[in-house]
Amino acid sequence: TLLQVASLPDRVDMAGPRSDTTAPSWNFEIPFATPQGTAMAQFEISRDGGGGEGGEAGKRVWRARFSIDVEPSGPIHAQISLVGDKTSVRMWAERPATAAQLRAGASQLSQQLSRAELQPGDISIRDGNPPQARPARAGHFLDRAL
């Protein structure tokens, strides 16, 4: 089992307002068993906003991003954002048929968010790849086999 954890920079200045370069971020992979073998889903969980003086907790944005490539669906990328009490979901499917299937289930996703006591926000499902994310910030990486 491979565990990959990205740590924060060595020194974080707690006296100043927090910026995106010091915002918490956690990167990891989770293996999924599929009929074709093991597929790895890459996850990133991060928080930004609301860290300065007078910042309100409701303005903080938590984001979870993940990607997985499993046949017959092909590559799927998702970003789930929690802003205040609203949960928004953006998904990209690289295959048009998969995107169409995901769109057909969007109302069910909204219902499941409500059942999980999350207020559904925007649900967007698109064809293709997500916009390019910013490069990973410098830090220390640890790979450890358990």
Side-chain angles (χ1 to χ4, degrees):
T1 303
L2 176 64
L3 174 66
Q4 183 181 64
V5 180
S7 68
L8 295 173
D10 285 336
R11 183 172 180 273
V12 177
D13 184 9
M14 297 307 239
R18 297 188 95 174
S19 66
D20 287 341
T21 60
T22 61
S25 178
W26 188 29
N27 297 289
F28 55 96
E29 294 176 333
I30 296 178
F32 286 92
T34 70
Q36 294 82 20
T38 303
M40 298 299 285
Q42 301 168 346
F43 283 81
E44 177 187 351
I45 298 174
S46 61
R47 183 189 80 196
D48 61 21
E53 284 186 32
E56 298 175 25
K59 299 210 186 248
R60 287 187 178 152
V61 179
W62 284 92
R63 287 188 181 88
R65 294 183 179 105
F66 69 91
S67 296
I68 190 164
D69 185 357
V70 178
E71 291 301 328
S73 300
I76 298 173
H77 314 278
Q79 175 178 300
I80 298 113
S81 302
L82 178 64
V83 181
D85 60 351
K86 283 196 177 182
T87 304
S88 298
V89 178
R90 291 184 187 171
M91 297 172 69
W92 295 265
E94 293 187 22
R95 296 183 182 166
T98 302
Q101 288 178 331
L102 292 171
R103 279 187 206 100
S107 63
Q108 187 178 15
L109 175 59
S110 181
Q111 291 170 0
Q112 293 300 322
L113 288 171
S114 294
R115 281 189 181 169
E117 299 183 7
L118 297 169
Q119 182 180 352
D122 294 333
I123 296 177
S124 170
I125 300 166
R126 299 181 179 157
D127 294 2
N129 289 311
Q132 291 296 325
R134 58 183 157 77
R137 40 174 225 279
H140 301 283
F141 293 91
L142 169 68
D143 285 342
R144 184 173 75 193
L146 301 175

